[in-house]
Amino acid sequence: MGVIGKFKPTKQGGWEGRIETLLIDRKIRFVPNDDRRNDNSPDYVVMLGWSRVGEAWKATSRGDIPRDYLRVRLNDPWSEPKRATLFPAPDGATAELVWSGQRRMRDWDDEP
């Protein structure tokens, strides 16, 4: 797993920050989705400027100490969607976007 982004909360209830990898260096925003039509609709839309480039769903980890996070799907017109996870810090002041690699993506095949 690798951290590919650092984020801060926005006044609107979302997150903003940068994705930085070997090939990408872009500022993106997680904007609360005001147009949720059913329980499977994303909780957030991921925006690059005015373009929608992905979605994110709220989730809670299972374990001794449950932790809230976002399951993220980033759309790429040249390949399959990329999966990542946004983990807010316990104090909620920052969050890290973690990419877990190709092998982990198979676990999400049945996810929205």
Side-chain angles (χ1 to χ4, degrees), residues 14-61:
W15 296 91
E16 66 182 4
R18 296 193 83 77
I19 293 180
E20 297 179 271
T21 70
L22 292 173
L23 301 175
I24 300 170
D25 183 1
R26 295 281 189 246
K27 182 177 178 181
I28 65 168
R29 296 172 289 130
F30 290 82
V31 179
N33 184 5
D34 294 334
D35 191 28
R36 294 192 75 218
R37 297 181 182 180
N38 60 51
D39 290 341
N40 291 329
S41 295
D43 295 294
Y44 294 85
V45 293
V46 183
M47 304 294 292
L48 171 64
W50 292 101
S51 298
R52 183 176 176 160
V53 296
E55 300 83 24
W57 291 263
K58 292 179 183 178
T60 303
S61 67

Side-chain angles (χ1 to χ4, degrees), residues 3-112:
V3 175
I4 61 169
K6 305 272 185 180
F7 293 82
K8 293 186 177 182
T10 65
K11 292 178 184 176
Q12 297 78 22
W15 296 91
E16 66 182 4
R18 296 193 83 77
I19 293 180
E20 297 179 271
T21 70
L22 292 173
L23 301 175
I24 300 170
D25 183 1
R26 295 281 189 246
K27 182 177 178 181
I28 65 168
R29 296 172 289 130
F30 290 82
V31 179
N33 184 5
D34 294 334
D35 191 28
R36 294 192 75 218
R37 297 181 182 180
N38 60 51
D39 290 341
N40 291 329
S41 295
D43 295 294
Y44 294 85
V45 293
V46 183
M47 304 294 292
L48 171 64
W50 292 101
S51 298
R52 183 176 176 160
V53 296
E55 300 83 24
W57 291 263
K58 292 179 183 178
T60 303
S61 67
R62 298 179 206 139
D64 295 338
I65 303 173
R67 184 174 178 189
D68 293 333
Y69 63 95
L70 297 179
R71 293 180 299 117
V72 181
R73 178 174 58 201
L74 299 171
N75 301 318
D76 184 342
W78 310 117
S79 66
E80 65 184 45
K82 307 297 184 228
R83 307 291 179 166
T85 306
L86 186 73
F87 290 107
D91 64 3
T94 61
E96 292 183 331
L97 185 65
V98 176
W99 173 67
S100 55
Q102 190 74 17
R103 199 176 79 206
R104 178 83 175 120
M105 288 173 57
R106 280 183 255 147
D107 296 342
W108 288 29
D109 285 343
D110 59 343
E111 304 268 342

